[in-house]
Amino acid sequence: MQLYTGTSGNELLPNVATIGFFDGVHRGHRFLIEQVCKVAAERGLASSVITFPVHPRKVMQPDFRPELLTTCDEKVSLLAGTGIDYCIMLDFTLDLACLSAKQFMAILKQDYRVQVLVIGYDHRFGHNRSEGFEDYVRYGQELGIEVLLAQAYYTDAMTVSSSAIRRLLLQGNVSEAANCLGYQFFLDGTVVNGYRVGRKIGFPTANLRIGDCEKLVPADGVYAVYVFLGGEKHAGMLSIGYRPTLNNGIDRSIEVHIFNFDADIYNQPMRLSFVCRTRPELKFDSIDELIAQLHKDEAEITAILS
C-alpha cells in the first residue's frame, strides 16, 4: 500500500475509492474495502481508501476528545494489511467541511483521479447531511464518476460499527470487541516507573504510558493479555484502574504482571493485546486479601492463556 498525503494526486493511477474515518479498521470496514478491491480488479483500476488523520468532529468541535480505537499510525498499518493500493490521507479542515458533496467529489475526480466511488451503505458526506446516495449518483453522472452502493456487513449478533466497539470496550467486553474488530484490541506505549509496590508483594508489574492520550482505554478491571516486547510474546495479567486497596488517589494506572519474566524494560516500547476481562477492579480490606486474590487471578489467567 502506498500512503499519499499530498494535495494533488496526479501521479496516482485512476482508481476506485471509498471514504471514511475507518477508526479501528474493523470487520465492517474490511468488508467495504474488499468490495472496493473487487470492483477495482473488475475495472482494471487501482483501489484506494480516502481517510483523515484527525477525527472530523474534533475539527468542528475543538473541545471534543475522541476515544480512538486506533491512532492514525495504527490505522495506516491495519489498512496496509487489507490489500488496498492507496491510502489517501486528507487533512480535514473547516474549508473541507464546508464543501458540498458535489464539490468534494469534483476534487476527488480532478485531483486524485477517482473514477469509481463506492459509498458505504450508511455513509453521508458534504455539509448538507440531507443528501444521500441518489444525490451522489446524480453528481457522479455530471462529473464522470461512477457511484456504487456498498453492501452492508451483517453479523447474527449485532451491527458492527466503531461506536458499538467503543461501547463494548468501555464495558470491559474485550472478547466481543475482538470478534467485531477481527483482531484483539491493543494498547501501545512505553514502560515507565510506577509505585513499585507489586515487586514487594510478589507481583512485579510493568506500567504502560500510552503513546496517544486520545486512544481509548477499556474499563477498569483485571484482564488476560498478551504482552509484546522486543519482538517476543509473553502472557500476562493486566490491571487497569485506581488501585483502591493501595489508596493511590486519582492516578489511573495500566500495569501488567508478565508471567515468568524478570528483566529491566523501563523506557522500552510495549504492546498489550487484550484477550478477556476476568473481573472488575475491587477494593480489599487488607494487603493480604489483595495478594490472595492476585494468586487466584494468576491461576485463572494462566489457564486462559495456556
Side-chain angles (χ1 to χ4, degrees):
M1 183 189 79
Q2 180 181 341
L3 175 63
Y4 190 80
T5 59
T7 55
S8 177
N10 291 329
E11 65 267 35
L12 301 178
L13 294 173
N15 61 89
V16 179
T18 191
I19 311 164
F21 187 59
F22 295 101
D23 187 24
V25 194
H26 55 62
R27 288 187 185 274
H29 294 145
R30 291 166 188 268
F31 184 66
L32 171 60
I33 292 169
E34 286 173 4
Q35 295 176 67
V36 170
C37 292
K38 182 175 183 292
V39 172
E42 292 171 348
R43 304 287 199 281
L45 299 170
S47 57
S48 66
V49 163
I50 298 166
T51 190
F52 314 100
V54 176
H55 196 291
R57 186 176 165 189
K58 188 175 179 182
V59 175
M60 305 301 292
Q61 300 171 240
D63 59 343
F64 171 69
R65 183 182 179 276
E67 294 180 299
L68 298 175
L69 302 177
T70 46
T71 66
C72 185
D73 288 344
E74 291 165 358
K75 176 169 69 174
V76 170
S77 178
L78 289 166
L79 286 170
T82 65
I84 204 79
D85 293 317
Y86 299 131
C87 174
I88 301 172
M89 191 72 67
L90 299 184
D91 282 332
F92 192 90
T93 63
L94 289 175
D95 287 341
L96 187 65
C98 290
L99 295 178
S100 68
K102 185 176 181 181
Q103 289 171 324
F104 182 60
M105 290 173 65
I107 290 173
L108 298 185
K109 172 73 173 181
Q110 296 165 11
D111 293 349
Y112 299 99
R113 307 190 73 186
V114 173
Q115 307 296 307
V116 182
L117 188 60
V118 181
I119 304 295
Y121 75 100
D122 62 347
H123 185 68
R124 292 176 185 269
F125 59 91
H127 69 79
N128 186 352
R129 306 296 286 181
S130 66
E131 294 177 321
F133 177 71
E134 296 302 326
D135 299 297
Y136 305 150
V137 170
R138 186 172 71 256
Y139 302 149
Q141 290 170 344
E142 296 172 9
L143 295 167
I145 298 178
E146 182 181 3
V147 179
L148 303 176
L149 183 64
Q151 292 178 289
Y153 178 77
Y154 294 109
T155 67
D156 294 335
M158 62 181 292
T159 299
V160 174
S161 68
S162 298
S163 57
I165 295 168
R166 288 188 198 101
R167 286 193 294 272
L168 289 169
L169 292 171
L170 292 172
Q171 294 164 3
N173 194 348
V174 296
S175 53
E176 184 59 32
N179 289 335
C180 296
L181 286 166
Y183 58 88
Q184 290 170 341
F185 182 74
F186 60 88
L187 293 175
D188 284 346
T190 305
V191 180
V192 297
N193 285 315
Y195 291 95
R196 297 180 180 269
V197 176
R199 187 169 296 278
K200 296 177 182 177
I201 62 175
F203 290 89
T205 60
N207 288 259
L208 183 74
R209 182 176 62 206
I210 300 175
D212 189 330
C213 65
E214 292 184 345
K215 180 79 182 261
L216 183 148
V217 176
D220 293 346
V222 175
Y223 295 84
V225 297
Y226 287 112
V227 184
F228 294 87
L229 279 163
E232 295 185 351
K233 179 182 178 181
H234 308 271
M237 65 179 190
L238 172 71
S239 174
I240 299 176
Y242 297 91
R243 300 155 52 101
T245 307
L246 302 173
N247 296 315
N248 287 141
I250 61 172
D251 293 331
R252 192 183 192 204
S253 65
I254 303 170
E255 53 183 333
V256 60
H257 173 64
I258 307 171
F259 299 151
N260 305 311
F261 184 84
D262 185 16
D264 183 358
I265 55 174
Y266 287 117
N267 299 316
Q268 290 190 26
M270 180 171 70
R271 170 172 289 190
L272 302 176
S273 182
F274 289 74
V275 177
C276 67
R277 185 180 188 231
T278 57
R279 66 171 174 87
E281 182 175 50
L282 301 172
K283 181 174 182 178
F284 299 93
D285 293 332
S286 68
I287 296 295
D288 287 340
E289 283 189 20
L290 171 61
I291 294 171
Q293 180 60 54
L294 290 175
H295 281 292
K296 293 177 183 178
D297 293 335
E298 183 178 36
E300 179 181 3
I301 291 173
T302 297
I304 290 170
L305 299 180
S306 61

